[in-house]
Amino acid sequence: MKLASVRSADPSAPSVPHEKCAVRTLSLPLALTARISPVVVLAAAGWALTSGPATTPAAEKEPAPRSAEESPSGAATAAVSKQYAAAPAPCGSIGAATIKSLVPGAKTAGKEIPSTDAALRRTCSWNALKGYDYRWLDVSFEITASEAAATESYKENVSEKSGGGDVPGVGDAGYSVVNLTTENKQQTREGVVMIRASNALVTVTYNGSDFESKKAPSTDEINKGAIKAAKEAVAALESGRKA
């Protein structure tokens, strides 16, 4: 069932999607289980010691270049290519201040995940357990053969993650969704933001858990954090654009 987006009081803020809550006893997805399992062990040790237990409409088009007659300089304005030839360095796509804010205690340099084709697909991860609070951030870039191919892939990805909302003003299309899962009474909330910019796809995954209270961060915190990282990642992609 798809839920309508909820807008904040700030009209300039991006729409915040209703989260899709799934309280269940089934196992977490393999990737998320692999992420969380090491820190669960650490958190358990801590307890023992203390005796306590976001479909975006296309971005507004820029005015068409003026002709030589219309241009103040009298020279024709050359069209700028929107085609991306290679993925940027993912671990350098997010600022150190943002990493410290979203993933307290993580090394700001991040860790790049090995790829079979680094020119086209690159991913960087940051994760840390500070006290009992755990956070994980992934930023991925994928360069496709054409804008049409990227559009098709983007639509398929969005259709698989219902219940989200638009992310306006970032790239050519943007979508954000936040989900809550519960395993053995431990909550984890995860936000995914998908952006299409011409023939490139940018995906940000941000999640968190509190192993003391067993609660998860709020939907607003996770959604806004994922969107903030996505905006920086798209800016890094655009700054490395090749004609």
Side-chain angles (χ1 to χ4, degrees), residues 2-62:
K2 295 187 177 181
L3 303 177
S5 299
V6 178
R7 297 222 176 240
S8 66
D10 180 359
S12 65
S15 58
V16 179
H18 282 299
E19 65 177 336
K20 180 174 64 178
C21 296
V23 179
R24 56 195 182 190
T25 58
L26 296 177
S27 298
L28 291 174
L30 181 59
L32 185 55
T33 301
R35 294 175 183 175
I36 295 177
S37 57
V39 297
V40 170
V41 175
L42 292 175
W47 290 325
L49 290 175
T50 57
S51 300
T55 310
T56 263
E60 293 184 5
K61 297 181 179 179
E62 296 180 359

Side-chain angles (χ1 to χ4, degrees), residues 143-178:
I143 306 300
T144 66
S146 65
E147 185 170 339
T151 299
E152 181 178 358
S153 180
Y154 172 82
K155 289 180 178 179
E156 290 177 354
N157 293 338
V158 168
S159 68
E160 294 174 358
K161 295 183 178 295
S162 63
D166 298 343
V167 180
V170 187
D172 296 309
Y175 180 80
S176 174
V177 63
V178 178

Side-chain angles (χ1 to χ4, degrees), residues 55-230:
T55 310
T56 263
E60 293 184 5
K61 297 181 179 179
E62 296 180 359
R66 290 184 288 185
S67 64
E69 291 77 12
E70 296 173 312
S71 176
S73 63
T77 303
V80 177
S81 171
K82 289 186 177 180
Q83 196 80 358
Y84 296 103
C91 293
S93 66
I94 309 298
T98 298
I99 296 301
K100 291 178 181 179
S101 172
L102 299 184
V103 193
K107 294 181 178 180
T108 56
K111 180 179 180 180
E112 184 161 358
I113 307 303
S115 171
T116 55
D117 190 341
L120 302 180
R121 288 175 295 276
R122 299 183 72 174
T123 300
C124 188
S125 292
W126 297 262
N127 64 87
L129 177 67
K130 187 172 183 179
Y132 292 103
D133 283 332
Y134 177 70
R135 295 292 184 277
W136 181 290
L137 175 68
D138 274 356
V139 175
S140 299
F141 295 92
E142 180 179 357
I143 306 300
T144 66
S146 65
E147 185 170 339
T151 299
E152 181 178 358
S153 180
Y154 172 82
K155 289 180 178 179
E156 290 177 354
N157 293 338
V158 168
S159 68
E160 294 174 358
K161 295 183 178 295
S162 63
D166 298 343
V167 180
V170 187
D172 296 309
Y175 180 80
S176 174
V177 63
V178 178
N179 291 320
L180 175 68
T181 57
T182 301
E183 176 71 14
N184 296 327
K185 298 183 180 181
Q186 174 63 61
Q187 293 183 345
T188 298
R189 185 166 274 117
E190 179 171 280
V192 178
V193 175
M194 294 174 282
I195 305 293
R196 181 187 68 79
S198 187
N199 66 313
L201 298 170
V202 179
T203 303
V204 170
T205 303
Y206 180 48
N207 66 52
S209 299
D210 184 323
F211 291 112
E212 182 175 33
S213 68
K214 290 186 175 289
K215 301 296 184 180
S218 69
T219 298
D220 193 56
E221 177 184 342
I222 293 297
N223 188 60
K224 287 183 176 179
I227 291 175
K228 178 177 177 61

